[in-house]
Amino acid sequence: MKKFKSNNNVVYSCKYHVVWTPKYRRPVLKDGVDVRLKDLLAQIAKEIQVDIIEVEIMPDQVHLLIEVDPQFGVHKAVKRFKGATSRYLRSEFPHLKSRIPTLWTNSYFVSTVGGAPLEVVKQYIQNQKEV
């Protein structure tokens, strides 16, 4: 994997750990729903040019490690993943409509990952005038 990516305006390395859950944290991501969800996430990631580095589907949560162009943004990527997968999964698995009013909660967890430790970056910035 390359350390940095680029588009016309930005050179970047923006990796995120993202987690979200079904509504009421119901354990509905099983019995084929999990397999289909992985396929859908890969398809959507390709469409929006997001790299999925790792994915794990638990019965009651989704974990993604993704790299996102900062001009597209992690929020936009998560919104697209959740919206499209909810629509497809609820149409393909009717039991997901009867147990919960919407497939996903409105919230999600996101944390940046990778790169240098915070103290190293702070030291680098502090020492710029000395270089």
Side-chain angles (χ1 to χ4, degrees), residues 12-129:
Y12 65 92
S13 174
C14 297
K15 295 175 182 71
Y16 302 94
H17 176 203
V18 181
V19 182
W20 71 84
T21 64
K23 191 79 167 175
Y24 310 127
R25 197 139 187 187
R26 294 263 168 82
V28 296
L29 307 176
K30 58 186 180 180
D31 302 326
V33 176
D34 51 345
V35 174
R36 182 63 176 133
L37 176 55
K38 276 187 181 183
D39 291 341
L40 288 169
L41 289 169
Q43 177 185 326
I44 295 159
K46 189 175 181 180
E47 289 170 10
I48 62 176
Q49 298 178 328
V50 167
D51 289 335
I52 295 179
I53 301 164
E54 195 62 55
V55 60
E56 188 58 65
I57 311 295
M58 305 296 289
D60 65 346
Q61 56 190 289
V62 176
H63 286 261
L64 286 179
L65 179 59
I66 57 175
E67 183 160 28
V68 180
D69 182 325
Q71 291 182 312
F72 186 74
V74 66
H75 178 72
K76 204 169 179 181
V78 173
K79 189 174 178 180
R80 188 77 168 272
F81 282 137
K82 289 172 69 176
T85 57
S86 177
R87 191 170 51 255
Y88 287 121
L89 290 173
R90 286 166 63 88
S91 71
E92 294 174 27
F93 298 90
H95 71 278
L96 295 175
K97 291 181 187 174
S98 61
R99 295 205 52 209
I100 45 181
T102 60
L103 181 56
W104 307 121
T105 58
N106 289 332
S107 59
Y108 62 92
F109 165 84
V110 63
S111 175
T112 57
V113 297
L118 186 59
E119 284 305 313
V120 172
V121 175
K122 283 172 62 177
Q123 204 59 43
Y124 174 80
I125 292 169
Q126 290 168 359
N127 294 332
Q128 281 304 294
K129 285 189 175 179

